[in-house]
Amino acid sequence: MSVVVICLLFTSIFTNTDSLTNEQEKDRIKALPGQPEVAFSQFSGYVTVHKKHGRALFYWLTEAATHNPLENPLVLWLNGGPGCSSIAYGASEEIGPFRINETASSLYLNKYSWNKQANILFLESPAGVGFSYTNKSSDLRDSGDKRTARDALTFLKRWMSRFPQYRYRDFYLSGESYAGHYVPQLAKKIHDYNKNHSNPFINLKGFIVGNAVTDIKYDNIGTVAYWWSHSIISDSTYKSIMSSCKFTSAKYSQNCDDAINYAWNYEFGEIDQYSIYTPSCNKSSRNLTTNISSRVKNTLVRISGYDPCIENNAEKYYNRPDVQHAMHANSTGISYKWTACSGELLDNWKDSEFSMLPTYKKLIAAGYRIWMFSGDTDSVVPVTATRFSLSHLNLTVKTRWYPWYLNGQVGGWTEVYDGLTFATVRGAGHEVPLLQPQRGFLLFQSFLAGKNLPRS
């Protein structure tokens, strides 16, 4: 039976909610507390990825808000950290259909939700992030890149057994920050898995990542250059960091640490390093990631261009028992509160690839659609870091650097290479869809369509 016939078969079987399997029906979200009425279906729950250790990953699927979601692709979204929740950030602040109000009493619609174009699958990964859990506490102290990718592949295979209507569907990966590791690593896992199976059902077409951690050496050099070029640090501190920091390993000399700490403590000020031109939230701290060190210190940050403390809303909302019940979450009674990021995972991360560039080369050669984008006001994984890392792929330029437009205004700049598209998003920080939702939405539309960003 051909792939096309199989796809048509699944489409004919799963054309309405009456065709849901018992497993799917158990995962159906009837309505979230305070949720406005919507026409699309939602599902959430757990998929066990390691039975012996009791590792289970939590997902939330928001189907496409279109006439027939089975005609739309499936997109997996991953946030980074390592140790941060895709429910807290991707789903609730960036690309998900809902936003949480300030009192965490109700939800309101996101006008630029990505599920207007695709079925979006949010995954809290690895175990220990958000509602995802493990019954073996040592798993929280020895997580790393390799196991995260392995468990994510296991999740996808088992999730698609539960939701067979998504088998063979056009499938894309997406994410930001430390997902610059998660996404290409998982893409390679899927690629290798498909090569070794005669009838692969994970129909990976490509991936898109934003403000992505890519290469320790080149990211670091590009990050320090951003700090200096945006007047965050002094000439003397810039020279001190560049002369004392070699950036050839995850461990730095004492002189290097001293120079970086001086910049953080005496020159940065209380800005939001993830969005340097918006107000900061002085009531919360964040653990996303910074590519200037393998062990990130908490920093005072904002959360968005509208409400710098929006992350607090998610922590209130997802700790509500009625919300957890509606989402089939925390079914095992996790002994700790749901948090946006896990400090324990971050502090004990065991393996992190030095460079993702070799992985990119393999995936580019395999012909996948690959886009990278950068919000240009992020000082943590800044546009200069990504550009410097990409320059070492030595790709052939197909379409030279040009400004792209939305509503008559420059939305950013882009360059198309043989095998990869890079774009900046003007006025966006680390979380592009939060700071510039309409520009982020157009970026996503263009990626799915495989079209260059508009010149006018």
Side-chain angles (χ1 to χ4, degrees):
M1 185 180 291
S2 71
V3 171
V4 174
V5 172
I6 291 172
C7 289
L8 291 173
L9 177 61
F10 280 126
T11 300
S12 66
I13 293 174
F14 295 98
T15 54
N16 56 62
T17 56
D18 294 332
S19 302
L20 295 178
T21 66
N22 289 336
E23 278 192 305
Q24 291 175 34
E25 192 59 56
K26 288 179 182 178
D27 285 359
R28 175 197 283 282
I29 298 175
K30 293 181 175 61
L32 294 169
Q35 173 201 304
E37 186 176 346
V38 294
F40 59 86
S41 296
Q42 305 176 73
F43 303 86
S44 62
Y46 287 96
V47 173
T48 299
V49 295
H50 195 288
K51 188 174 181 179
K52 185 177 180 181
H53 285 196
R55 285 203 304 273
L57 301 185
F58 184 79
Y59 81 89
W60 180 9
L61 171 69
T62 59
E63 289 196 328
T66 58
H67 176 67
N68 185 3
L70 290 173
E71 296 176 352
N72 297 92
L74 176 67
V75 176
L76 177 73
W77 173 273
L78 295 165
N79 276 93
C84 292
S85 164
S86 299
I87 305 298
Y89 297 106
S92 302
E93 293 183 11
E94 300 184 77
I95 69 168
F98 306 118
R99 293 284 185 268
I100 305 168
N101 75 351
E102 189 174 349
T103 62
S105 60
S106 65
L107 306 175
Y108 59 96
L109 293 175
N110 171 20
K111 185 178 179 181
Y112 298 106
S113 173
W114 285 14
N115 83 323
K116 294 185 177 183
Q117 292 287 311
N119 303 278
I120 309 295
L121 178 61
F122 299 98
L123 179 64
E124 294 198 297
S125 175
V129 173
F131 291 124
S132 296
Y133 66 88
T134 175
N135 292 333
K136 188 168 184 177
S137 58
S138 61
D139 282 349
L140 303 177
R141 297 187 294 274
D142 62 5
S143 286
D145 284 11
K146 292 179 182 178
R147 192 170 75 201
T148 298
R150 190 167 60 245
D151 281 359
L153 176 61
T154 300
F155 166 83
L156 281 174
K157 291 189 292 184
R158 294 179 179 176
W159 185 86
M160 287 188 179
S161 292
R162 187 179 301 180
F163 288 85
Q165 62 267 42
Y166 284 101
R167 288 185 167 204
Y168 309 101
R169 185 82 61 92
D170 284 0
F171 177 57
Y172 297 92
L173 302 174
S174 62
E176 69 188 11
S177 193
Y178 199 79
H181 279 217
Y182 294 161
V183 166
Q185 287 168 343
L186 178 55
K188 187 175 184 301
K189 278 283 185 186
I190 295 170
H191 175 75
D192 293 343
Y193 172 81
N194 286 346
K195 278 201 311 182
N196 295 320
H197 289 78
S198 58
N199 187 24
F201 56 82
I202 304 176
N203 188 20
L204 180 65
K205 294 295 186 179
F207 62 85
I208 180 169
V209 286
N211 292 80
V213 177
T214 304
D215 179 282
I216 289 178
K217 178 182 177 181
Y218 302 136
D219 282 359
N220 285 335
I221 294 171
T223 296
V224 179
Y226 187 92
W227 294 352
W228 177 79
S229 64
H230 286 72
S231 305
I232 296 173
I233 62 174
S234 63
D235 291 358
S236 60
T237 297
Y238 173 72
K239 292 175 182 176
S240 179
I241 293 174
M242 295 307 293
S243 63
S244 60
C245 299
K246 303 306 179 186
F247 301 134
T248 53
S249 72
K251 293 183 179 180
Y252 305 132
S253 67
Q254 187 61 52
N255 287 341
C256 175
D257 280 341
D258 289 345
I260 293 172
N261 285 332
Y262 184 85
W264 280 348
N265 294 327
Y266 298 103
E267 293 186 343
F268 268 78
E270 292 187 2
I271 64 168
D272 175 2
Q273 295 181 30
Y274 296 91
S275 177
I276 63 175
Y277 299 128
T278 54
S280 61
C281 177
N282 294 325
K283 296 179 181 179
S284 68
S285 63
R286 204 188 242 190
N287 265 337
L288 289 180
T289 188
T290 178
N291 60 329
I292 199 66
S293 172
S294 61
R295 293 294 176 263
V296 183
K297 299 178 181 179
N298 289 340
T299 55
L300 293 172
V301 295
R302 74 82 187 99
I303 308 307
S304 92
Y306 303 106
D307 176 4
C309 297
I310 195 173
E311 177 186 309
N312 297 342
N313 302 349
E315 298 216 351
K316 293 175 187 174
Y317 188 75
Y318 293 113
N319 275 299
R320 287 175 49 177
D322 58 340
V323 173
Q324 293 180 5
H325 178 74
M327 298 186 76
H328 324 112
N330 198 15
S331 54
T332 60
I334 298 171
S335 61
Y336 47 85
K337 282 190 174 183
W338 182 94
T339 57
C341 293
S342 167
E344 186 172 13
L345 277 172
L346 178 66
D347 292 339
N348 294 286
W349 202 252
K350 294 304 180 188
D351 68 274
S352 180
E353 278 194 71
F354 188 88
S355 176
M356 297 310 303
L357 298 182
T359 301
Y360 273 96
K361 289 179 180 178
K362 292 176 182 176
L363 295 170
I364 289 170
Y368 293 105
R369 183 183 305 163
I370 300 173
W371 282 39
M372 298 182 75
F373 63 92
S374 289
D376 60 13
T377 68
D378 175 24
S379 74
V380 178
V381 192
V383 59
T384 46
T386 301
R387 292 182 72 183
F388 195 46
S389 290
L390 284 181
S391 70
H392 289 82
L393 284 174
N394 298 314
L395 299 174
T396 301
V397 176
K398 290 177 63 178
T399 305
R400 291 183 60 180
W401 190 267
Y402 69 89
W404 61 272
Y405 285 81
L406 176 65
N407 298 330
Q409 298 292 321
V410 173
W413 288 262
T414 183
E415 190 157 70
V416 181
Y417 305 96
D418 187 10
L420 186 147
T421 294
F422 174 68
T424 74
V425 182
R426 189 162 70 98
H430 196 68
E431 295 176 73
V432 166
L434 176 62
L435 272 295
Q436 292 290 339
Q438 191 174 9
R439 291 173 182 173
F441 185 72
L442 177 60
L443 183 82
F444 181 60
Q445 280 183 306
S446 301
F447 165 73
L448 286 183
K451 296 181 179 179
N452 291 353
L453 286 158
R455 290 179 177 269
S456 62

